[in-house]
């Protein structure tokens, strides 16, 4: 299963090469695109800056279609951990937004109506937002689904990368990267590691006319 998932991820990353190079968001950088309004399945249009909690903000780029998110034969996928993560964030006064930037797949499972159905079906309990034309993903240099970005109360980046170290089985996780980062953030302690390897399908960006 891991080999199959790795091949899916490798194939997906080829989509990125058709766009301008993305500028990496480094630890300590301010959150970009904070005022960009996005449609939220919970209702209305919201910006990431308005979702921030007292202790910070978690942004996870996600979708309805990637096997790293939804799972496949032999793999649980990471989205089964989203509801628990939402509860954990609220308990720690950290805002949490899932962002769907798969603009090239709006007619193939990642439309807003698909997001609404997926949200209900899988018990999501946080914001799930539509990133039109993958503008927010580009600003973040987000590359995969999922791709995690954690910001402090001043909206400075303190952690980016993966949720944990086992997409296949939540019971087999040995490194709880994101939970550990949130605990350290709230406690005012250094986050180590502050960067981990994000693993997933590439974000399916729409090809903008005139770009190569």
């Amino acid at each position: 299963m891991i080999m199959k998932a790795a091949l899916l991820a490798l194939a997906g990353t080829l989509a990125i090469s058709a766009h301008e190079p993305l500028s990496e968001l480094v630890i300590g950088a301010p959150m970009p695109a904070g005022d960009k309004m996005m449609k939220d399945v919970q209702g209305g249009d919201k910006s990431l800056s308005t979702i921030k909690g007292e202790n910070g903000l978690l942004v996870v780029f996600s979708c309805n279609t990637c096997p790293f998110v939804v799972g496949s034969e032999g793999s649980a996928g990471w989205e089964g951990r989203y509801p628990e993560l939402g509860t954990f964030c609220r308990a720690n006064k950290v805002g949490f937004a899932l962002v769907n930037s798969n603009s090239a797949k709006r007619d193939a499972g990642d439309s807003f109506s698909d997001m609404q159905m997926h949200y209900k079906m899988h018990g999501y309990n946080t914001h799930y937002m539509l990133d039109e034309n993958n503008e927010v993903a580009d600003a973040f240099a987000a590359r995969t689904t999922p791709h995690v970005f954690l910001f402090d109360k001043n909206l400075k980046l303190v952690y980016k990368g993966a949720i944990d170290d086992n997409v296949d089985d939540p019971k087999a996780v040995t490194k709880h990267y994101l939970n550990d980062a949130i605990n350290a953030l709230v406690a005012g302690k250094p986050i180590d590691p502050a960067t981990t390897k994000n693993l997933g399908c590439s974000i399916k960006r729409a090809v903008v006319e005139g770009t190569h």
Side-chain angles (χ1 to χ4, degrees):
M1 171 56 203
I2 293 296
M3 179 61 70
K4 180 182 178 182
L7 290 173
L8 285 168
L10 178 61
T13 58
L14 297 177
I16 296 175
S17 64
H19 298 78
E20 293 298 320
L22 300 175
S23 297
E24 294 294 333
L25 199 62
V26 300
I27 299 299
M31 185 180 72
D35 295 328
K36 174 71 177 177
M37 302 301 290
M38 292 183 281
K39 187 180 291 186
D40 185 0
V41 298
Q42 291 188 342
D45 293 345
K46 299 181 181 71
S47 66
L48 292 175
S49 60
T50 62
I51 293 171
K52 180 182 77 73
E54 181 179 325
N55 290 320
L57 174 67
L58 172 63
V59 179
V60 178
F61 289 87
S62 190
C63 68
N64 306 331
T65 54
C66 169
F68 286 89
V69 175
V70 304
S72 59
E73 184 178 354
S75 174
W78 269 300
E79 77 172 345
R81 282 155 255 192
Y82 288 172
E84 183 178 353
L85 184 57
T87 300
F88 184 68
C89 283
R90 280 195 297 278
N92 285 282
K93 300 180 180 179
V94 172
F96 180 18
L98 296 163
V99 177
N100 187 321
S101 302
N102 268 6
S103 51
K105 294 195 72 175
R106 298 302 181 208
D107 295 327
D110 281 307
S111 69
F112 188 70
S113 60
D114 291 324
M115 289 168 59
Q116 290 174 309
M117 289 187 291
H118 201 82
Y119 180 92
K120 293 178 180 178
M121 183 180 301
H122 296 280
Y124 287 11
N125 57 5
T126 189
H127 302 279
Y128 190 20
M129 306 169 80
L130 179 77
D131 176 19
E132 292 279 2
N133 302 317
N134 46 264
E135 293 177 15
V136 176
D138 289 351
F140 275 67
R143 298 179 181 278
T144 56
T145 51
H147 199 169
V148 170
F149 296 83
L150 177 65
F151 299 87
D152 66 14
K153 63 182 180 181
N154 297 313
L155 292 180
K156 298 295 181 64
L157 184 66
V158 295
Y159 172 78
K160 66 175 181 177
I163 292 173
D164 56 45
D165 68 345
N166 199 312
V167 62
D168 296 323
D169 183 1
K171 294 181 180 179
V173 171
T174 61
K175 297 184 183 297
H176 300 267
Y177 300 125
L178 181 54
N179 279 22
D180 290 347
I182 292 172
N183 281 330
L185 170 65
V186 173
K189 297 179 179 179
I191 295 173
D192 183 22
T195 301
T196 59
K197 176 64 177 177
N198 53 293
L199 179 66
C201 306
S202 70
I203 292 173
K204 301 305 185 287
R205 290 168 158 85
V207 177
V208 179
E209 186 176 352
T211 63
H212 302 282

